[in-house]
Amino acid sequence: MAMLAEERRSRMLEIVQQKRFASLSELVEQLAVSESTVRRDLELLEEIGAARRIHGGVLYTGASPQMPHFESQEGHQASGKRAIARQTAELISDGETLLLDGGSTTYEVARWLVGRPLHIVTTSLPVANLFASDANSDLVFIGGNICPRSGVARGPYANAMLERVRVRKTILSVAAVNDEGYFNNDLLLVETERAMMRAADEVIVVADSTKFGRSSLAHICELSDVDKLVADSSLGEHWHDVLSRAGVTVVRARELSIEDSGR
């Protein structure tokens, strides 16, 4: 029976992947199982980030992009990143205009936002691909020099386009956080991230606890230049206090279980 269940979920994912969206009734009919069985299987697919349940059915949100940056990050702090993503999605209201960069944690946030009525602006090809077939959202892609490791646009063309954009929230991933501020490991990307920050009313950084107390190649900004930071539950009190003193609202996300991974 366990093998049958595994085959059923594999077939379910295949259907959703081919159609990009499938209704519950379609899945019930094609798999010849009850609606409650479909719902339980969808909880598992949503937990691993392969699909996203919305009203009336499920959207395919894809496997991690086949790029060196994502491959190197695959499995690293996976449950913490999913918890951060869900918590960040809860900070966003339907109808808002969001600017998303291309880090692996931001990509997890994007998975949680697929299917919601939002205006999405992004520098990330993988993020743009998630929303390209989502009829509920509007998508604007910021062009520029594409990094082959991550599929992210950065550099002067991207920066010039961002100077003409205004959004409610910008959501950024970073490589490191320490007392001096936030860091990333790409000089061109850092300049583009600064332009993304200037475009927003509110800046949210998403970072798992392993990023703290470390440094990286290029300094993005001071701690106080960010409005909110969402981290996993392992973030220590020291960094919570340091960020709070800098005026940053810190949100620590509870890690997900299969039982509460759905809505």
Side-chain angles (χ1 to χ4, degrees), residues 57-151:
V58 59
L59 281 168
Y60 178 67
T61 55
S64 296
Q66 298 303 300
M67 292 180 172
H69 171 75
F70 287 90
E71 290 173 357
S72 68
Q73 295 294 315
E74 191 170 8
H76 181 66
Q77 294 291 109
S79 62
K81 288 180 180 181
R82 287 195 293 268
I84 290 168
R86 185 181 74 158
Q87 188 68 61
T88 304
E90 292 177 358
L91 301 176
I92 294 161
S93 301
D94 288 350
E96 286 191 324
T97 301
L98 307 176
L99 181 48
L100 303 173
D101 83 345
S104 59
T105 308
T106 310
Y107 184 80
E108 291 298 325
V109 175
R111 281 175 159 173
W112 275 93
L113 296 176
V114 171
R116 291 179 55 180
L118 296 165
H119 304 278
I120 302 296
V121 184
T122 186
T123 56
S124 166
L125 283 170
V127 170
N129 186 56
L130 286 177
F131 292 98
S133 59
D134 180 8
N136 292 304
S137 61
D138 297 318
L139 174 65
V140 173
F141 179 70
I142 301 294
N145 182 279
I146 302 294
C147 173
R149 293 186 66 253
S150 62

Side-chain angles (χ1 to χ4, degrees), residues 156-170:
Y157 292 112
N159 301 347
M161 189 171 179
L162 286 164
E163 293 298 336
R164 306 182 67 175
V165 169
R166 293 296 177 267
V167 299
R168 178 69 188 91
K169 295 181 174 79
T170 284

Side-chain angles (χ1 to χ4, degrees), residues 4-262:
L4 289 174
E6 184 177 337
E7 291 173 355
R8 184 181 67 244
R9 290 168 193 144
S10 177
R11 175 58 181 152
M12 179 183 293
L13 183 58
E14 182 181 323
I15 293 168
V16 176
Q17 182 177 5
Q18 289 174 349
K19 296 176 66 65
R20 305 295 294 186
F21 172 84
S23 67
L24 289 178
S25 59
E26 284 179 292
L27 294 174
V28 167
E29 180 179 353
Q30 292 198 41
L31 297 170
V33 294
S34 68
E35 185 172 313
S36 61
T37 297
V38 168
R39 290 182 184 276
R40 285 195 300 271
D41 287 349
L42 288 176
E43 285 184 2
L44 293 171
L45 294 182
E46 191 170 46
E47 168 67 11
I48 64 173
R52 168 78 196 284
R53 287 176 294 165
I54 63 172
H55 180 70
V58 59
L59 281 168
Y60 178 67
T61 55
S64 296
Q66 298 303 300
M67 292 180 172
H69 171 75
F70 287 90
E71 290 173 357
S72 68
Q73 295 294 315
E74 191 170 8
H76 181 66
Q77 294 291 109
S79 62
K81 288 180 180 181
R82 287 195 293 268
I84 290 168
R86 185 181 74 158
Q87 188 68 61
T88 304
E90 292 177 358
L91 301 176
I92 294 161
S93 301
D94 288 350
E96 286 191 324
T97 301
L98 307 176
L99 181 48
L100 303 173
D101 83 345
S104 59
T105 308
T106 310
Y107 184 80
E108 291 298 325
V109 175
R111 281 175 159 173
W112 275 93
L113 296 176
V114 171
R116 291 179 55 180
L118 296 165
H119 304 278
I120 302 296
V121 184
T122 186
T123 56
S124 166
L125 283 170
V127 170
N129 186 56
L130 286 177
F131 292 98
S133 59
D134 180 8
N136 292 304
S137 61
D138 297 318
L139 174 65
V140 173
F141 179 70
I142 301 294
N145 182 279
I146 302 294
C147 173
R149 293 186 66 253
S150 62
V152 174
R154 72 272 200 273
Y157 292 112
N159 301 347
M161 189 171 179
L162 286 164
E163 293 298 336
R164 306 182 67 175
V165 169
R166 293 296 177 267
V167 299
R168 178 69 188 91
K169 295 181 174 79
T170 284
I171 301 174
L172 300 176
S173 291
V174 297
V177 185
N178 62 34
D179 291 314
E180 297 178 7
Y182 309 91
F183 293 78
N184 238 320
N185 52 20
D186 183 320
L187 291 170
L188 283 176
L189 176 61
V190 163
E191 291 296 329
T192 299
E193 287 182 322
R194 290 174 183 159
M196 295 175 76
M197 294 175 69
R198 291 192 294 270
D201 297 332
E202 181 179 355
V203 176
I204 301 173
V205 165
V206 291
D208 68 74
S209 54
T210 65
K211 304 289 179 63
F212 288 79
R214 298 172 56 186
S215 186
S216 192
L217 179 64
H219 183 249
I220 304 170
C221 64
E222 305 293 328
L223 291 176
S224 59
D225 292 330
V226 165
D227 298 290
K228 287 189 177 75
L229 183 141
V230 186
D232 58 273
S233 58
S234 297
L235 181 69
E237 289 299 325
H238 168 73
W239 286 109
H240 184 283
D241 293 343
V242 168
L243 290 160
S244 296
R245 287 197 298 271
V248 181
T249 299
V250 181
V251 181
R252 283 186 282 200
R254 180 174 61 88
E255 292 197 13
L256 298 170
S257 65
I258 290 175
E259 287 74 18
D260 64 10
S261 65

